[in-house]
């Protein structure tokens, strides 16, 4: 396969992955909105935080190191797929060991929920662990599919599995809600079972076919998917096994940093199960904007900055035309995400209560939910700015600077875990968001200092993008006051007519903000029209 073919397939796979993530988010969003009306928030908290953490910990520690090592180890010409398959099957006994250990921890070391509020906790722990072990049965097939760029297989398998899981959940919640955690355990078993079934059926039909022969697939029959020793070679490639061990040692830290909030909630008991459920729902709801709007911008323009700038070189030693373009784009991107983030922060304050009431009813809107979402709306602004500043910094940094920054990130992550515990003990679920804001603020400060030093000796000042026009600030301030007063008068316990009045007032204020943007941020409007909109039109054609 040529380099261009690899690049094309990788791009296609990335596109499918984006669509898959969007679909998962939308389905999860709708499923949570539905189940919230039938089950308690304590049940949601145990499922979405504790049991999901058990499952993610099990599968991550069992397979992540093998995936990274095997996918990087098969890129060269000197490898044996027989040895790779043998190594990958070690994920199964490793998963069984992790399942036994984690089940013991989850059952005997952690606080057990009240059986009247959250029934069948013990069986649910065992079934979630079993679902993780079941998913590991497909691990050799998953690596084969990824290595040979079977781009549609993953999408079809995970889509069918997710649809089956959602359907099972809805049916059991409506007709057998007394089953408690059995509902979500059964749905998760169906999800992992469908994944394994889809991969198995595909490879059973694919192996030995004309298509496999045409592609030069290295395996020829179903028996080749099972572990066995080939003549004249060791059972596994020991170089690959040592690489796996290196990745395995890193996977502990990565998992802790990735799921830090859930580990704090699970092991330190800083929030009740009900508060955990509300926090998880608000977190998923608030992060949708960041994932759908800011993340694509960050990923796309990281590639742009990496191609335009020469890594590790100062401004004067680079092509001045390229530096000028990069500075202009950075300024416009900062202005774009700042404006969007400010709009979300301003209107999120006045409409968080209404949004949660529509989404989850009084279960979410009557407690700490609105306060959490208001704080998360402010956090979104920091997420937006940090995404753009870091994408530039990582594209411009030298390798040594990146390595040093990785140590900074490690220190920030450890401090985040400590702050999460202290602030959550002091302020409840809001403490997690406050810890995130402090952590993100420090990262933004580091990036701003780097960008300032980078352009200090030049004529370009891209950080001016963080200074919105006075008219826009005035429009946002007026909107914040008007919508806050509107919420106090019209929302949210006086019927739908007054709610619609509150929504109409917000729409009018938002229109005023857009007018202020059109009148004062002409450079930003030009950038959006000439750079972003043609890109999106091209995607749709």
């Amino acid at each position: 396969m040529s380099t261009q073919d690899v690049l094309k397939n990788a791009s296609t796979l990335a596109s499918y992955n984006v669509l898959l993530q969007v679909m998962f988010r939308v389905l999860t969003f709708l499923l949570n909105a539905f189940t919230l009306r039938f089950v308690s928030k304590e049940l949601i908290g145990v499922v979405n935080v504790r049991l999901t953490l058990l499952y993610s910990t099990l599968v991550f520690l069992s397979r992540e190191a093998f995936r990274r090592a095997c996918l990087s180890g098969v890129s060269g010409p000197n490898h044996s797929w027989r040895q790779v398959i043998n190594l990958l099957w070690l994920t199964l006994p490793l998963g069984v060991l992790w399942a036994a250990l984690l089940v013991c921890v989850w059952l005997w070391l952690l606080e057990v929920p009240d059986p009247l509020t959250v029934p069948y906790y013990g069986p649910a722990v065992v079934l979630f662990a079993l679902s993780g072990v079941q998913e590991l049965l497909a691990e050799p097939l998953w690596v084969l599919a990824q290595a040979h760029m079977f781009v549609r297989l993953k999408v079809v398998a995970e889509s069918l599995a997710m649809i089956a899981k959602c359907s099972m959940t809805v049916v059991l919640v409506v007709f057998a809600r007394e089953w408690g955690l059995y509902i979500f355990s059964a749905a998760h078993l169906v999800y992992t079972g469908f994944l394994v079934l889809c991969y198995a059926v595909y490879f059973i039909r694919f192996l030995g076919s004309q298509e496999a022969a045409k592609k030069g697939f290295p395996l020829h029959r179903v028996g080749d998917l099972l572990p066995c020793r080939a003549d004249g070679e060791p059972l596994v490639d020991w170089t690959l096994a040592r690489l796996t061990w290196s990745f395995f040692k890193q996977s502990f830290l990565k998992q802790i940093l990735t799921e830090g909030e859930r580990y704090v909630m699970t092991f330190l008991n800083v929030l009740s199960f009900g508060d955990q459920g509300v926090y998880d729902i608000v977190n998923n709801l608030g992060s949708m904007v960041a994932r759908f709007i800011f993340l694509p911008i960050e990923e796309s323009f990281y590639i742009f900055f990496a191609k335009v700038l020469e890594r590790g070189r100062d401004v004067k030693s680079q092509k001045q035309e390229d530096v000028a373009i990069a500075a202009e784009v950075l300024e416009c991107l900062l202005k774009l995400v700042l404006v969007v983030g400010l709009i979300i922060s301003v209107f999120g304050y006045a409409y968080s209560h209404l949004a949660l009431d529509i989404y989850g009813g009084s279960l979410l809107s009557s407690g700490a939910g609105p306060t959490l979402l208001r704080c998360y709306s402010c956090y979104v602004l920091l997420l937006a700015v940090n995404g753009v500043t870091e994408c530039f910094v990582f594209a411009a940094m030298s390798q040594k600077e990146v390595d040093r920054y990785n140590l900074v990130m490690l220190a920030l992550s450890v401090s985040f875990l400590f702050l999460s515990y202290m602030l959550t003990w002091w302020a409840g679920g809001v403490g997690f968001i406050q810890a995130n804001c402090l952590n993100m603020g420090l990262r933004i400060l580091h990036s701003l200092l780097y960008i300032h030093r980078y352009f200090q000796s030049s004529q370009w000042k891209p950080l001016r993008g963080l200074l919105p026009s006075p008219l826009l600030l005035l429009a946002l301030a007026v909107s914040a006051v008007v919508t806050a007063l509107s919420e106090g008068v019209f929302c949210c316990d006086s019927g739908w007519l007054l709610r619609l009045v509150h929504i109409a007032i917000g729409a009018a204020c938002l229109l005023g903000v857009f007018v202020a943007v059109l009148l004062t941020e002409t450079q930003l409007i030009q950038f959006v029209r000439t750079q972003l909109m043609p890109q999106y039109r091209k995607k749709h054609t």
Side-chain angles (χ1 to χ4, degrees):
M1 185 181 292
S2 68
T3 303
Q4 290 300 321
D5 290 336
V6 172
L7 178 60
K8 179 181 178 181
N9 287 335
S11 301
T12 305
L13 181 61
S15 300
Y16 279 132
N17 284 336
V18 170
L19 293 175
L20 196 63
Q21 289 300 318
V22 171
M23 187 198 74
F24 278 7
R25 284 279 168 176
V26 171
L27 284 176
T28 304
F29 178 84
L30 297 175
L31 183 64
N32 283 336
F34 177 81
T35 54
L36 278 171
R37 287 158 170 78
F38 293 90
V39 300
S40 67
K41 60 183 179 182
E42 287 78 14
L43 195 69
I44 293 292
V46 171
V47 172
N48 287 0
V49 177
R50 179 171 290 192
L51 295 180
T52 301
L53 181 65
L54 167 66
Y55 162 79
S56 66
T57 302
L58 192 159
V59 296
F60 187 90
L61 294 180
S62 300
R63 74 187 183 191
E64 179 66 14
F66 290 89
R67 285 185 171 186
R68 294 176 65 185
C70 292
L71 286 175
S72 60
V74 300
S75 58
N78 299 320
H79 71 271
S80 166
W81 271 107
R82 174 73 277 142
Q83 293 177 321
V84 173
I85 294 294
N86 291 340
L87 184 63
L88 286 169
W89 275 111
L90 292 177
T91 58
L92 188 59
L94 182 61
V96 172
L97 290 175
W98 277 118
L101 176 62
L102 293 174
V103 165
C104 293
V105 172
W106 257 245
L107 288 180
W108 296 316
L109 296 183
L110 299 180
E111 178 189 0
V112 177
D114 182 2
L116 297 178
T117 308
V118 185
Y120 311 116
Y121 172 73
V125 168
V126 175
L127 291 175
F128 263 79
L130 180 61
S131 69
V133 174
Q134 179 176 252
E135 186 172 343
L136 295 175
L137 291 171
E139 193 59 24
L141 309 181
W142 186 91
V143 172
L144 276 170
Q146 291 293 107
H148 293 88
M149 297 293 183
F150 294 168
V151 295
R152 291 180 178 84
L153 175 57
K154 179 182 178 181
V155 176
V156 172
E158 297 196 13
S159 299
L160 290 176
M162 191 66 182
I163 292 171
K165 176 184 176 180
C166 292
S167 302
M168 174 71 76
T169 304
V170 168
V171 170
L172 293 180
V173 162
V174 172
F175 296 106
R177 72 181 71 174
E178 68 276 3
W179 286 14
L181 290 177
Y182 275 131
I183 295 172
F184 302 94
S185 304
H188 209 73
L189 278 170
V190 168
Y191 172 76
T192 57
F194 257 82
L195 279 179
V196 175
L197 182 63
C198 288
Y199 277 97
V201 169
Y202 179 86
F203 277 98
I204 288 173
R205 294 173 58 89
F206 177 75
L207 292 177
S209 66
Q210 292 183 353
E211 182 183 1
K214 183 179 179 181
K215 291 183 176 181
F217 197 73
L219 306 180
H220 306 289
R221 54 189 179 88
V222 176
D224 293 338
L225 297 173
L226 301 176
C228 65
R229 182 189 294 272
D231 295 333
E233 64 181 24
L235 187 63
V236 298
D237 183 341
W238 291 107
T239 301
L240 205 58
R242 287 190 291 270
L243 181 61
T244 303
W245 173 243
S246 298
F247 283 132
F248 182 74
K249 290 182 288 186
Q250 296 177 9
S251 64
F252 282 94
L253 178 60
K254 184 177 180 181
Q255 175 66 4
I256 291 173
L257 298 181
T258 302
E259 299 282 6
E261 293 176 355
R262 285 188 168 91
Y263 283 115
V264 171
M265 283 189 276
T266 297
F267 286 92
L268 300 181
N269 297 323
V270 291
L271 295 179
S272 67
F273 292 114
D275 290 340
Q276 289 180 27
V278 172
Y279 177 83
D280 185 75
I281 292 168
V282 171
N283 181 59
N284 289 334
L285 190 61
S287 65
M288 289 182 71
V289 176
R291 290 180 182 273
F292 290 168
I293 298 178
F294 301 134
L295 187 59
I297 292 176
E298 177 184 346
E299 291 177 345
S300 300
F301 283 94
Y302 170 77
I303 298 173
F304 166 78
F305 290 130
K307 289 184 176 181
V308 170
L309 301 175
E310 295 183 45
R311 182 181 295 276
R313 299 183 64 181
D314 58 32
V315 172
K316 292 183 178 180
S317 61
Q318 301 194 48
K319 294 181 180 179
Q320 296 304 292
E321 293 181 0
D322 291 344
V323 174
I325 294 174
E328 181 182 355
V329 169
L330 177 59
E331 181 179 349
C332 291
L333 286 177
L334 287 173
K335 184 63 67 66
L336 175 62
V337 298
L338 180 71
V339 170
V340 175
L342 286 172
I343 290 174
I344 292 173
S345 299
V346 167
F347 289 90
Y349 181 87
Y351 289 88
S352 292
H353 190 284
L354 179 60
L356 289 177
D357 194 60
I358 294 173
Y359 181 62
S362 60
L363 184 68
L364 292 181
S365 62
S366 60
T371 302
L372 286 171
L373 191 55
R374 289 184 182 115
C375 293
Y376 206 97
S377 299
C378 298
Y379 175 54
V380 166
L381 173 60
L382 296 178
L383 276 177
V385 175
N386 179 71
V388 171
T389 53
E390 279 196 348
C391 87
F392 176 86
V393 169
F394 285 143
M397 276 181 170
S398 66
Q399 185 60 51
K400 290 183 179 179
E401 289 172 326
V402 173
D403 292 338
R404 286 199 299 267
Y405 186 62
N406 286 337
L407 296 177
V408 174
M409 286 291 292
L410 175 60
L412 288 174
S413 300
V414 174
S415 65
F416 165 73
L417 293 177
F418 176 75
L419 283 172
S420 295
Y421 173 71
M422 297 301 297
L423 292 175
T424 307
W425 176 78
W426 174 65
V430 175
F432 276 119
I433 302 176
Q434 292 174 337
N436 274 312
C437 288
L438 290 173
N439 185 47
M440 202 62 64
L442 291 174
R443 289 167 63 178
I444 291 173
L445 178 62
H446 175 275
S447 299
L448 293 181
L449 290 175
Y450 182 90
I451 294 171
H452 174 71
R453 290 194 300 267
Y454 189 86
F455 289 100
Q456 191 171 19
S457 60
S458 70
Q459 59 181 317
W460 300 288
K461 308 296 178 185
L463 293 182
R464 290 180 301 185
L466 294 175
L467 300 175
S469 67
L471 180 61
L472 176 57
L473 289 176
L474 177 63
L476 288 168
V478 171
S479 297
V481 173
V482 171
T483 53
L485 292 174
S486 172
E487 182 184 31
V489 175
F490 300 113
C491 192
C492 291
D493 302 319
S494 302
W496 269 102
L497 181 60
L498 292 182
R499 290 185 181 189
L500 292 175
V501 173
H502 179 48
I503 293 173
I505 291 174
C509 291
L510 184 60
L511 179 62
V513 171
F514 284 153
V515 170
V517 172
L518 290 172
L519 292 177
T520 60
E521 303 293 351
T522 54
Q523 184 182 5
L524 174 62
I525 299 302
Q526 182 68 14
F527 174 77
V528 172
R529 286 176 176 173
T530 57
Q531 301 299 326
L532 298 183
M533 293 181 68
Q535 180 181 356
Y536 292 136
R537 282 200 297 267
K538 183 178 179 181
K539 288 181 180 179
H540 290 294
T541 56

